[in-house]
Amino acid sequence: DQQVKQNSPSLSVQEGRISILNCDYTNSMFDYFLWYKKYPAEGPTFLISISSIKDKNEDGRFTVFLNKSAKHLSLHIVPSQPGDSAVYFCAASAYQGGSEKLVFGKGTKLTVNP
Amino acid sequence: EAQVTQNPRYLITVTGKKLTVTCSQNMNHEYMSWYRQDPGLGLRQIYYSMNVEVTDKGDVPEGYKVSRKEKRNFPLILESPSPNQTSLYFCASRAEAPTYNEQFFGPGTRLTVL
């Protein structure tokens, strides 16, 4: 049962344009969502997060949108740069009864072409 | 420099030969976790620890053991490795719960079990 889904394995955009990465989840208990970026041969690095009580969080060129009713979130990168080329993981977390659940999606490989 | 270190970075071993992958963090983080990354499956949590002497299973704990005897270290133990444990392993740490604190990942350990 895949609770966090990133349905696009890859995405290719031109430098300067907008990149939109999507993520869907099924567990309504998730209350926090995070995006991580991963370059080859490195560990993932935190990018941006959003609480379920918000619908938008912005940090520079990166904005995450959350639609709770649709159980959908998206990461917008504007403008996209070649250095943004990486694999992006969406993650969702819930903390229940003293234990936590943190689930990652399968990732979307973003390629930004010069 | 704040970091999570893993050793070894690369390991080739044979079925049944016990091995340990070490993980250490210098940020005084309470929470530590292990993940494995496999093609088409993304990052899956193996075990996590919310504090010293407190560990709990993630989504794929079978075949693995962990211990948390001190705050900075969280070794991953494979008592009898099998070929299906060939994977890329990441250790991560973060400050205490709640889960929205970003995790810092190590550089990864690529394990091959023949």
Side-chain angles (χ1 to χ4, degrees):
Chain A
D1 176 28
Q2 191 183 345
Q3 298 188 53
V4 177
K5 300 178 184 178
Q6 293 178 256
N7 291 319
S8 298
S10 63
L11 175 67
S12 183
V13 300
Q14 283 299 120
E15 180 178 7
R17 307 294 284 268
I18 184 171
S19 295
I20 300 176
L21 295 94
N22 293 303
C23 179
D24 296 292
Y25 62 97
T26 58
N27 189 340
S28 58
M29 297 303 295
F30 288 137
D31 59 1
Y32 217 83
F33 304 90
L34 309 96
W35 285 93
Y36 283 82
K37 179 169 73 172
K38 184 184 180 303
Y39 292 118
E42 295 182 12
T45 55
F46 172 78
L47 192 57
I48 192 169
S49 62
I50 188 167
S51 163
S52 60
I53 63 173
K54 296 187 176 182
D55 55 19
K56 176 183 174 181
N57 188 26
E58 190 172 353
D59 184 2
R61 296 185 297 114
F62 302 91
T63 303
V64 57
F65 296 92
L66 175 63
N67 183 332
K68 279 187 68 177
S69 61
K71 294 190 175 68
H72 175 84
L73 64 154
S74 61
L75 174 68
H76 292 210
I77 306 173
V78 184
S80 301
Q81 299 173 354
D84 296 328
S85 296
V87 176
Y88 289 79
F89 290 101
C90 169
S93 75
Y95 190 67
Q96 301 172 254
S99 74
E100 92 163 16
K101 191 171 188 66
L102 178 63
V103 182
F104 283 80
K106 295 182 179 182
T108 296
K109 182 177 182 180
L110 173 66
T111 302
V112 181
N113 301 303
Chain B
E1 179 189 353
Q3 60 182 351
V4 178
T5 56
Q6 297 177 225
N7 282 293
R9 293 290 311 279
Y10 302 90
L11 178 61
I12 300 175
T13 189
V14 295
T15 299
K17 186 177 181 181
K18 180 179 178 180
L19 66 92
T20 299
V21 183
T22 65
C23 173
S24 182
Q25 50 93 6
N26 62 1
M27 294 167 279
N28 202 36
H29 284 166
E30 294 191 356
Y31 176 97
M32 297 186 75
S33 182
W34 276 102
Y35 297 87
R36 60 179 289 175
Q37 183 188 4
D38 301 289
L41 296 176
L43 285 162
R44 294 180 294 168
Q45 191 177 51
I46 303 170
Y47 268 95
Y48 66 94
S49 169
M50 303 197 77
N51 213 326
V52 176
E53 302 292 1
V54 179
T55 63
D56 208 347
K57 296 178 181 178
D59 290 325
V60 288
E62 295 78 19
Y64 303 95
K65 284 176 57 177
V66 292
S67 69
R68 187 88 183 277
K69 292 181 169 33
E70 49 190 341
K71 202 173 193 179
R72 63 182 292 126
N73 296 322
F74 190 46
L76 179 69
I77 303 156
L78 285 72
E79 295 270 4
S80 182
S82 61
N84 64 10
Q85 292 178 297
T86 292
S87 186
L88 179 57
Y89 292 87
F90 291 101
C91 179
S93 75
R94 66 156 201 262
E96 63 182 76
T99 57
Y100 52 73
N101 286 328
E102 67 171 286
Q103 291 195 74
F104 294 82
F105 283 81
T109 294
R110 185 166 291 282
L111 172 66
T112 301
V113 183
L114 301 174

